Amino acid sequence: EPQVVESGGGLVQAGGSLRLSCAASGFTVRGLWTHWARQVPGLGLAWVSRIDSDGSSASYADSVKGRFTVSRDSATSMVYLQLNSLRVEDTAVYYCTSGSFSHLDVWGQGTTVTVSS
Amino acid sequence: QSALAQPASVSGSPGQSITISCTGTSGDVGGYDYVSWYRHHPGEAPTFLLYEVKNRPSGVSDRFSGSKSGNTASLTISGLRAEDEAEYYCSSYTNKYTVIFGGGTKLTVL
């Protein structure tokens, strides 16, 4: 069964950094994009970032551009989301998903990031 | 960029049909047939319902259907069941090479 698993969430102070990891299993990631989305408590889903299967193309939501960086390790197919200059408003459950360039197919259970002031 | 516009809530009785709208701009919904829909039960991972406006991934019931006209896409759920009660989100590819979600619609099955 195809699945993705996120890890790396935690509690960090404002201005700090975290690195989230995403591991895929049960399917090949070749040709697939990996997206990150988040859900702030009490609010809706928001798209954060995406990266293509060979790591050559990435894009970001305006709210995180310049602070977050998505990357892929081609040897292990792991995908990472580096979160820098974190703000209280970045507190959310972060989901990793696999899909096409435009849709998010296989979703993980999410990892929680809490940014304290 | 603001979220795509969805009604905050809709409701229906078991067996009925409901439709959820998703309104964007010519830079997203109106400009591309890359609208997707997702269902999210609280505490669970979201699930993928439709892609490219009206296509269902394998395993998704044909009770879920999609359409688009201009800058507005729609999700219709027919034969409502209690388990359909959840939050529903649309998303669209955009002309900025990004993806944008709708604000979400809470479906209540009466």
Side-chain angles (χ1 to χ4, degrees):
Chain A
E1 180 182 346
Q3 62 176 348
V4 294
V5 178
E6 308 91 340
S7 59
L11 174 63
V12 62
Q13 284 193 321
S17 298
L18 277 177
R19 189 178 81 158
L20 307 183
S21 301
C22 174
S25 63
F27 62 100
T28 177
V29 297
R30 182 174 298 175
L32 296 178
W33 291 69
T34 299
H35 298 254
W36 289 91
R38 67 185 181 183
Q39 184 169 33
V40 172
L43 298 181
L45 294 173
W47 180 84
V48 173
S49 179
R50 64 172 192 163
I51 188 168
D52 67 357
S53 61
D54 63 9
S56 62
S57 177
S59 53
Y60 301 89
D62 288 344
S63 59
V64 306
K65 196 176 296 182
R67 300 188 299 122
F68 292 8
T69 303
V70 64
S71 61
R72 182 188 294 277
D73 183 329
S74 57
T76 62
S77 294
M78 291 285 293
V79 173
Y80 302 98
L81 186 67
Q82 179 69 40
L83 287 61
N84 295 333
S85 302
L86 281 163
R87 304 167 180 169
V88 171
E89 55 265 34
D90 293 319
T91 294
V93 175
Y94 284 75
Y95 294 99
C96 173
T97 83
S98 180
S100 78
F101 72 95
S102 65
H103 69 251
L104 291 65
D105 187 351
V106 181
W107 291 68
Q109 291 294 324
T111 187
T112 300
V113 172
T114 303
V115 184
S116 65
S117 56
Chain B
Q1 189 171 11
S2 299
L4 304 175
Q6 295 182 232
S9 63
V10 298
S11 62
S13 299
Q16 288 185 332
S17 295
I18 62 93
T19 296
I20 299 171
S21 62
C22 169
T23 301
T25 69
S26 58
D28 39 65
V29 175
Y32 306 92
D33 284 338
Y34 292 123
V35 175
S36 304
W37 289 91
Y38 306 87
R39 177 170 64 183
H40 192 195
H41 287 111
E44 300 180 7
T47 56
F48 178 44
L49 295 176
L50 296 174
Y51 65 101
E52 293 171 12
V53 177
K54 62 182 187 299
N55 296 306
R56 283 185 302 274
S58 62
V60 172
S61 169
D62 60 4
R63 297 188 301 109
F64 297 91
S65 61
S67 63
K68 194 187 86 166
S69 177
N71 294 339
T72 298
S74 298
L75 169 70
T76 297
I77 307 174
S78 59
L80 269 181
R81 301 174 180 174
E83 58 262 35
D84 294 330
E85 187 161 295
E87 194 87 16
Y88 289 81
Y89 294 89
C90 63
S91 75
S92 176
Y93 182 69
T94 83
N95 59 2
K96 296 182 178 180
Y97 308 104
T98 63
V99 173
I100 185 170
F101 276 97
T105 298
K106 180 174 175 55
L107 169 61
T108 301
V109 180
L110 302 171

